[in-house]
Amino acid sequence: SLGKEPVNSSDVASAMRQLGFTTKFDNDEILTKYATLFFDSDLEGQKLGFATPQLYLLHLKSLDPMVNVPDPAVIVARSSFLFRGMGSMLEAQLHTSKRWTSHAQDALDKAVAYNDKAYE
């Protein structure tokens, strides 16, 4: 999963599919790279020599074009880009998935508890 090392591409790609993401060739590795770009860090694109996240996104699209990006994921990805952009201005490399992991786990735990109560 994102935010944990090592990243398991199969698990991340599966989670992306469950969220509603689809790509033309359904490639686990590329879907994981999309997840990393949208929800974690720009670092991989920088390592490959792409000057901006937009150029790296265009590269990923050339390898395996996105077919569907679920609407709820767009605001989360935009927030991730916003925070990372602010971090970049401060010369800090942010990994939003690492920052959000505990909050996401709390939200999931609350959702499970709420659903469990609903079925009692």
Side-chain angles (χ1 to χ4, degrees):
S1 7
L2 292 179
K4 298 177 183 175
E5 296 293 331
V7 172
N8 183 319
S9 290
S10 178
D11 288 349
V12 172
S14 178
M16 290 286 280
R17 288 183 194 101
Q18 288 176 7
L19 289 169
F21 286 88
T22 55
T23 63
K24 183 175 182 179
F25 303 117
D26 198 32
N27 181 299
D28 281 5
E29 183 180 330
I30 301 300
L31 200 49
T32 299
K33 290 176 188 278
Y34 277 119
T36 301
L37 177 62
F38 291 168
F39 306 119
D40 185 42
S41 168
D42 306 338
L43 193 56
E44 187 166 344
Q46 291 172 1
K47 286 181 181 177
L48 294 173
F50 294 98
T52 66
Q54 295 86 347
L55 292 175
Y56 182 51
L57 177 61
L58 290 174
H59 170 69
L60 293 177
K61 287 181 175 181
S62 76
L63 299 174
D64 191 1
M66 272 285 176
V67 174
N68 186 60
V69 176
D71 288 341
V74 173
I75 189 71
V76 177
R78 285 181 177 170
S79 298
S80 176
F81 283 116
L82 174 69
F83 290 127
R84 293 190 331 245
M86 290 187 305
S88 178
M89 292 176 70
L90 299 171
E91 298 182 10
Q93 181 62 242
L94 297 180
H95 293 267
T96 50
S97 68
K98 291 177 183 174
R99 300 285 182 190
W100 289 351
T101 299
S102 64
H103 303 291
Q105 189 61 56
D106 288 345
L108 288 171
D109 292 346
K110 288 176 183 174
V112 167
Y114 176 81
N115 285 335
D116 286 349
K117 281 182 129 181
Y119 290 106
E120 287 181 355

